[in-house]
Amino acid sequence: MPLAPRLPAPPETLAVLEESYDRVLRRDPGEPEFHQAVHEVLESLGPVLAARPGLATAKLVERVIEPERQIMFRVPWQDDKGEIHVNRGFRVEFNGALGPYKGGLRFHPTVNLGIVKFLGFEQIFKNALTGLGIGGGKGGSDFDPHGRSDEEVMRFCQSFMTELYRHVGEHTDVPAGDIGVGGREIGYLFGQYRRVTNRWEAGMLTGKGALWGGSAGRTEATGYGNVMFTHEMLRRRGEDLDGRQIVVSGSGNVAIYTVEKAQQLGANVITVSDSGGYVVDEKGIDLDLLKHVKEVDRGRVSDYADMRGASARFVPGGRVWDVPADIALPSATQNELDAEAARILVRNGVKAVSEGANMPTTPEAVHIFQDAGVAFGPGKAANAGGVAVSALEMRQNASRAAWSFSRVEEELSAIMTNIHDTCYETAERYGAPGDYVVGANIAGFERVAEAMLAQGLI
Ligand code: GLU
């Protein structure tokens, strides 16, 4: 796909961006998600480079799209029957100009180097937007925790950390959770790190349990943060969430706490989903039941529908985007909301779309929303609440403190408002009012570029 710059810029500037993108296509073949993430950022950067020729001379674009370091390793482990499995582990330390590399670990069968690079690349700008002094990284494995016993998951995590420990640390690289990595996995990973290093180094991993260095509110943070961001977008338009009908996709940690915060603010959330299909619940999602099914039973959304009774219907293989709603909050995975779905949502009168997942909306779908005047919150801004509270967890660990839930929630709310306003004002400054994609990309890039320039050619 050729670059289609979102903002006007002189031809020589656009040529720099084109060349950088072509280089990625040439040198990193077979990584379509990484190409997509780079493409999306470069399309916004024209006027920044034009205003500051020093950035082009310092080859800032070429440097920012090249990871500082990529680690790939073998992860052998034994299942409960004694059979040996060999998975692949990854950690991409993408950019450390603003602080230690920071970003989650994803355990999912679709994980490969291109996926980890797209996530790591997004994470650079997302983390920059938080203003909390964290660089960008990401990791994971093609291991599938679904259907595995706790013992199998533990053995896998121990094997994974037995290699990863040499690359991470509180001042180096601080992993956390992502899809397939929650409290249970973080516990096993932290335990193995402590065992092999003989160090109590709480700040080397975030998303820990409350008793051993975790932050209150980390589990809720991504979903809560996305709803707070959506609320800010609506407020700018003189609207709010009260009484709004919302469709949420996914049923993991992000989706569950998106439902919780949206309900607290008076909205009616009527869907959740998983890879088997979706549930539409006309009375509104019963949060206690959903938490029980997902967090206690580790079940499926079809189980929720079975237990919920008449108001809920399970639609096998379907997509939540077919259900009419005022607001859509994609909270499952990349490229889950395509052009066809976007057209349906627009036709049904959607007012705002905000990304709880990373890159869930395809580029075509983003354009359809923006052309239709729908408020669109890109993930690197809208879902930054998770990593922001991770940074607050690191802060608490550094001072051996434990903040209350309400203090964390207050700080999160201030951070999300700040990210929203930064994106909004940056877009306005560059002549694209209301375009949060441009605002997030430029504001994130400016911060990273500034730090990289100051630190010289490294
Ligand atoms: N995986 C989350 C994200 O996509 C959180 C990362 C973290 O807390 O470090 O931002």
Side-chain angles (χ1 to χ4, degrees):
M1 207 189 337
L3 283 189
R6 283 176 165 266
L7 300 166
E12 60 275 20
T13 307
L14 297 179
V16 169
L17 296 170
E18 287 284 358
E19 278 162 29
S20 300
Y21 182 60
D22 286 346
R23 216 168 114 88
V24 169
L25 292 182
R26 238 185 7 259
R27 294 171 81 213
D28 305 310
E31 297 178 1
E33 292 84 3
F34 179 53
H35 302 162
Q36 184 182 332
V38 169
H39 190 270
E40 193 256 343
V41 170
L42 296 192
E43 281 186 340
S44 301
L45 297 185
V48 186
L49 296 187
R52 298 190 54 187
L55 298 181
T57 318
K59 298 272 157 63
L60 246 300
V61 174
E62 290 87 333
R63 283 159 63 193
V64 89
I65 57 183
E66 182 70 16
E68 289 182 13
R69 190 174 299 107
Q70 309 185 48
I71 302 145
M72 277 174 69
F73 50 99
R74 179 171 69 201
V75 190
W77 59 282
Q78 243 172 336
D79 68 21
D80 288 343
K81 294 196 219 80
E83 192 183 329
I84 291 171
H85 299 261
V86 181
N87 284 99
R88 191 170 283 176
F90 303 89
R91 187 73 185 166
V92 173
E93 298 178 334
F94 221 121
N95 194 299
L98 289 173
Y101 309 110
K102 181 86 197 84
L105 298 171
R106 177 176 292 192
F107 291 170
H108 193 270
T110 55
V111 167
N112 56 41
L113 183 61
I115 296 274
V116 177
K117 281 172 67 181
F118 118 63
L119 291 163
F121 186 70
E122 291 261 307
Q123 201 84 45
I124 303 172
F125 307 101
K126 182 195 303 192
N127 294 3
L129 285 171
T130 68
L132 296 171
I134 39 181
K138 201 87 185 190
S141 173
D142 56 1
F143 171 71
D144 187 358
H146 275 122
R148 291 291 173 195
S149 67
D150 288 351
E151 292 73 22
E152 288 174 323
V153 170
M154 180 178 76
R155 284 196 293 276
F156 175 81
C157 289
Q158 290 178 340
S159 180
F160 186 85
M161 186 52 85
T162 302
E163 171 59 33
L164 190 69
Y165 89 94
R166 28 180 135 251
H167 310 288
V168 297
E170 64 177 325
H171 300 299
T172 315
D173 183 355
V174 183
D178 196 83
I179 294 171
V181 178
R184 173 182 62 170
E185 291 75 16
I186 293 293
Y188 296 146
L189 292 163
F190 186 77
Q192 184 70 355
Y193 183 85
R194 190 169 71 73
R195 180 198 207 180
V196 297
T197 60
N198 192 29
R199 282 168 63 85
W200 180 269
E201 195 185 319
M204 60 73 52
L205 207 60
T206 61
K208 299 181 295 294
L211 289 173
W212 42 281
S215 175
R218 175 62 189 87
T219 313
E220 292 84 353
T222 312
Y224 275 29
N226 188 27
V227 176
M228 290 165 177
F229 190 92
T230 306
H231 190 65
E232 289 304 313
M233 290 201 298
L234 291 173
R235 269 204 339 188
R236 285 281 165 157
R237 298 175 165 219
E239 294 168 24
D240 62 27
L241 280 161
D242 195 32
R244 297 292 185 186
Q245 187 106 317
I246 301 189
V247 288
V248 169
S249 64
S251 51
N253 177 52
V254 178
I256 291 172
Y257 293 96
T258 298
V259 175
E260 183 162 292
K261 181 50 76 183
Q263 290 181 345
Q264 285 171 10
L265 295 178
N268 186 31
V269 184
I270 50 169
T271 64
V272 285
S273 69
D274 61 25
S275 56
Y278 73 87
V279 166
V280 54
D281 190 334
E282 299 301 345
K283 279 203 203 142
I285 296 293
D286 177 337
L287 193 61
D288 289 339
L289 178 60
L290 179 66
K291 283 186 184 175
H292 185 84
V293 168
K294 294 300 299 182
E295 294 176 348
V296 182
D297 295 349
R298 292 186 187 271
R300 312 285 292 167
V301 298
S302 56
D303 301 329
Y304 169 94
D306 290 344
M307 292 160 87
R308 174 68 163 145
S311 72
R313 188 162 51 91
F314 176 64
V315 183
R319 304 198 301 175
V320 301
W321 321 124
D322 293 339
V323 179
D326 303 311
I327 296 166
L329 303 176
S331 310
T333 195
Q334 65 271 2
N335 292 328
E336 55 165 314
L337 201 174
D338 59 14
E340 192 197 335
R343 283 190 201 100
I344 295 170
L345 283 165
V346 168
R347 207 179 312 129
N348 285 335
V350 76
K351 300 259 179 320
V353 177
S354 195
E355 298 185 319
N358 290 314
M359 211 169 72
T361 317
T362 66
E364 241 189 310
V366 175
H367 284 290
I368 291 169
F369 290 135
Q370 291 188 321
D371 291 348
V374 174
F376 179 77
K380 60 171 79 72
N383 74 35
V387 78
V389 172
S390 277
L392 301 183
E393 182 171 330
M394 291 161 72
R395 195 175 280 182
Q396 292 168 74
N397 294 153
S399 58
R400 302 182 69 84
W403 302 349
S404 67
F405 186 88
S406 58
R407 169 158 181 201
V408 173
E409 195 180 7
E410 253 167 55
E411 299 234 6
L412 172 63
S413 169
I415 292 165
M416 294 315 298
T417 303
N418 187 272
I419 293 174
H420 170 275
D421 294 353
T422 301
C423 296
Y424 189 88
E425 281 151 23
T426 305
E428 208 161 47
R429 183 153 50 89
Y430 280 92
D435 187 337
Y436 292 94
V437 174
V438 160
N441 287 337
I442 293 183
F445 177 77
E446 281 182 334
R447 291 180 184 179
V448 180
E450 202 64 60
M452 288 175 74
L453 268 186
Q455 291 171 26
L457 185 56
I458 53 169

